[in-house]
Structures are given as C-alpha cells and as structure tokens.
C-alpha cells in the first residue's frame, strides 16, 4: 500500500504524530495496510460511491478506501491529534477526502454526502453499537446508506447475525435482520491492532433492504424487543406485562405462547406482535 500512495507505514505515521491510542476514545488502530484494503474491498465497488468513515485514527482504512477507488471519503474523527496525519492523506488524494473533526454521535452528516453512500468503518468500541442502532432506526426508510461494513468486537458481530435459539440472539439481531441482510465477512485477531485488544474482532457487512423484511410498527418493535431481552430468562407474559393487562391475549393472537422466552421467538413473530399495538 505504501508503494501505491507514497505515504509512510502506519507504524511510522503513529510515531511521527505521537498517536498513542486512547482507551477513553475506544481506539484500537489497525496497522496492516493489506487488511485495511481487504476491509475496503469487502464493502463492494466503491468507485461510484461516497463513503462515510467514523473514527479513522491515523488513516489506515482511509488509505485502503481511497486506494480501492472510493469516489470520495468523508472521515469523521473526534481526536484532533489525528488531523495532521489525515491531512497528509488528503494531499495525496486531492478532492477525494474530507475530514471533519467532530463527534459522530452529535453530527448531522446529510449535507456532507452525495448518494449513493456506503458506510465503512473500524468503529470506536465505545460507540459502535449505538451508531449501528441509529443507522438501523431512522424515521424514514430506506436510509441515506446502501450498506454498512463495520468492525466490532467479535461478540457484538455474532449478536448481529444470530438466529433464534442462539446464545447471542437478541435485540441487535432483530433490529439488524428486520431491515438488512447482515453477514460476517472477516475475523481479525487481537495482534492485528495497536494496542492489541483482549478479544477478536470481526467485520460485518449489512446490505439494506428496500423494504423491511416484515411489516412492523418500528417504534413498538424497538420497545418490545428492549423489554423482552432485558429480562430474557423470564417468560414473555412476565417481561412484557408493562405493555398492558391483555398481553397474554396479544401474544396468543400472533401465535406466541405466553410462557415462551424472548430468545425462542422469530423476527416475524415479534413484527406481528408490534403491529397489534398500532
């Protein structure tokens, strides 16, 4: 990769700019440029797309996205220490990289992106799940993005693709699979990062559906799944009793046994239950 863009190795960039990863920012820098290019390729053909990247750090994945042909990259980085390193990348790819020194959780990015848009990111561990839920739960569907290619801790990735009966099955799987086709496309060991985390990581590729997989009341689906999986060992008639005194009848009306537990219930059944509260 260094031969392609003429920039120093990531290890050298980190030394030059004194970019020690900060735990409070959820930073774990991916240093292998072969891996960052592989992640970029797993997002598909980017040549006609704007790409949103959250938490680029020293810019390893940014370089991969640009070298793999992304039309344009919008990189949002909270850590101002990374700005000089990212500016060096922007100079090599004039007009193709915009960097915003901002908190992704408080940013409206719509004015900065031109469709079609794909999101590709090694998300900071401390905000990754929150960002995913936001991207899966906009008021209007389809959303601004075509696909999400995101790195998480492996345990979180498994929760996204889990099926009923799996230990990892829960609210995150339901929200993701209601509106997208998610799959794990890459697993990475701790030693691929600096500093090395205590767990493996995985890249999940989620392709949006033009319409949700099943009709549902989105607000109610989110509320029901939050309540059901917050007390996953309880029977649904107990964990959902705050939904009203007739919850047993509502469950039975959509073919769910009141004595069932949340991890046994399919997405289709949860969607049907949500519609009963319209």
């Amino acid at each position: 990769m260094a031969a392609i863009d003429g920039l120093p190795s990531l290890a050298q960039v980190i030394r030059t700019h004194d970019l020690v990863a900060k735990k409070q920012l959820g930073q774990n820098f991916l240093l292998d440029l072969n891996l960052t290019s592989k992640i970029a390729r797993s997002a598909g053909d980017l040549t006609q797309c704007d790409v949103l990247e959250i938490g680029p750090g020293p810019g390893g994945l940014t370089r991969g996205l640009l070298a793999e042909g992304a039309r344009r990259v919008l990189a949002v980085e909270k850590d101002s220490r990374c700005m000089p390193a990212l500016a060096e990348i922007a100079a090599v790819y004039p007009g193709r990289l915009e960097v915003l020194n901002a908190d992704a959780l408080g940013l409206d990015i719509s004015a900065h992106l031109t469709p079609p848009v794909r999101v590709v990111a090694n998300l900071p561990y401390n905000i990754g799940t929150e960002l995913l839920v936001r991207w899966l739960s906009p008021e209007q569907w389809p959303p601004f993005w075509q696909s999400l290619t995101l790195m998480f801790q492996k345990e979180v990735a498994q929760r996204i693709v889990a099926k009923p009966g799996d230990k990892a099955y829960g609210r995150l799987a339901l929200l993701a699979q209601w509106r997208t086709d998610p799959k794990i496309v890459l697993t990475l060991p701790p030693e691929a990062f600096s500093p090395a985390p205590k767990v493996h990581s995985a890249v999940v590729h989620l392709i949006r559906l033009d319409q949700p997989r099943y009709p549902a009341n989105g607000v109610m689906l989110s509320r029901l799944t939050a309540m059901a999986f917050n007390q996953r060992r309880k029977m649904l008639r107990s964990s959902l009793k705050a939904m009203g005194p007739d919850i047993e009848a509502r469950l039975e009306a959509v073919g769910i046994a009141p004595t069932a537990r949340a991890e046994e219930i399919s997405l289709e059944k949860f969607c049907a239950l949500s519609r009963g509260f319209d």
Side-chain angles (χ1 to χ4, degrees), residues 151-167:
M151 188 181 301
F152 298 97
Q153 294 181 19
K154 186 178 179 182
E155 177 267 336
V156 176
Q158 290 172 330
R159 286 165 51 199
I160 294 168
V161 302
K163 301 299 182 185
D166 293 348
K167 183 178 179 181

Side-chain angles (χ1 to χ4, degrees), residues 249-256 269-270 272-276:
R250 289 179 180 274
L251 290 165
E252 290 173 343
V254 295
I256 300 174
K269 290 288 181 66
F270 267 115
L273 181 62
S274 78
R275 297 196 302 272

Side-chain angles (χ1 to χ4, degrees), residues 161-233:
V161 302
K163 301 299 182 185
D166 293 348
K167 183 178 179 181
Y169 182 67
R171 181 170 180 257
L172 201 54
L174 287 158
L175 294 180
Q177 294 170 37
W178 179 42
R179 286 174 156 173
T180 76
D181 277 324
K183 64 178 179 179
I184 294 175
V185 294
L186 190 63
T187 302
L188 295 90
E191 55 267 26
F193 300 85
S194 176
K198 296 180 180 179
V199 296
H200 281 64
S201 299
V203 177
V204 185
H205 183 59
L206 304 96
I207 301 174
R208 78 177 189 199
L209 303 174
D210 289 336
Q211 298 292 332
R213 198 174 303 278
Y214 304 107
N217 177 326
V219 173
M220 189 56 63
L221 179 65
S222 182
R223 184 180 175 190
L224 286 168
T225 53
M227 293 177 66
F229 287 98
N230 187 49
Q231 303 182 71
R232 59 189 301 141
R233 294 184 180 181

Side-chain angles (χ1 to χ4, degrees), residues 11 17 45 53 106 110 125 147-148 176 181 245:
H17 297 285
D45 182 2
E53 182 188 6
S110 58
Y125 280 172
S147 66
L148 308 172
D181 277 324

Side-chain angles (χ1 to χ4, degrees), residues 26-230:
Q27 291 175 330
N28 293 91
F29 299 145
L30 185 58
L31 299 185
D32 187 332
L33 288 168
N34 291 318
L35 283 176
T36 63
S37 290
K38 190 172 184 178
I39 294 168
R41 289 193 295 272
S42 70
D45 182 2
L46 303 176
T47 57
Q48 303 301 316
C49 298
D50 275 14
V51 177
L52 172 63
E53 182 188 6
I54 306 297
L61 180 55
T62 314
R63 289 165 67 174
L65 293 167
L66 291 164
E68 292 298 324
R71 178 178 69 189
R72 181 173 163 274
V73 175
L74 173 65
V76 180
E77 176 55 66
K78 183 178 181 179
D79 188 353
S80 60
R81 300 177 307 149
C82 298
M83 294 301 106
L86 295 168
E88 292 172 0
I89 301 171
V92 174
Y93 295 96
R96 293 179 58 203
L97 173 61
E98 178 182 356
V99 181
L100 298 180
N101 185 194
D103 183 346
L105 292 176
L107 183 66
D108 178 8
I109 51 84
S110 58
H112 298 273
L113 294 164
T114 301
V117 175
R118 300 189 184 189
V119 182
V120 188
N122 172 16
L123 292 174
Y125 280 172
N126 56 350
I127 64 169
T129 302
E130 182 174 353
L131 281 172
L132 175 62
V133 171
R134 289 188 183 191
W135 287 328
L136 292 172
S137 308
E139 291 185 6
Q140 301 294 325
W141 194 270
F144 72 90
W145 48 269
Q146 286 187 335
S147 66
L148 308 172
T149 306
L150 307 172
M151 188 181 301
F152 298 97
Q153 294 181 19
K154 186 178 179 182
E155 177 267 336
V156 176
Q158 290 172 330
R159 286 165 51 199
I160 294 168
V161 302
K163 301 299 182 185
D166 293 348
K167 183 178 179 181
Y169 182 67
R171 181 170 180 257
L172 201 54
L174 287 158
L175 294 180
Q177 294 170 37
W178 179 42
R179 286 174 156 173
T180 76
D181 277 324
K183 64 178 179 179
I184 294 175
V185 294
L186 190 63
T187 302
L188 295 90
E191 55 267 26
F193 300 85
S194 176
K198 296 180 180 179
V199 296
H200 281 64
S201 299
V203 177
V204 185
H205 183 59
L206 304 96
I207 301 174
R208 78 177 189 199
L209 303 174
D210 289 336
Q211 298 292 332
R213 198 174 303 278
Y214 304 107
N217 177 326
V219 173
M220 189 56 63
L221 179 65
S222 182
R223 184 180 175 190
L224 286 168
T225 53
M227 293 177 66
F229 287 98
N230 187 49

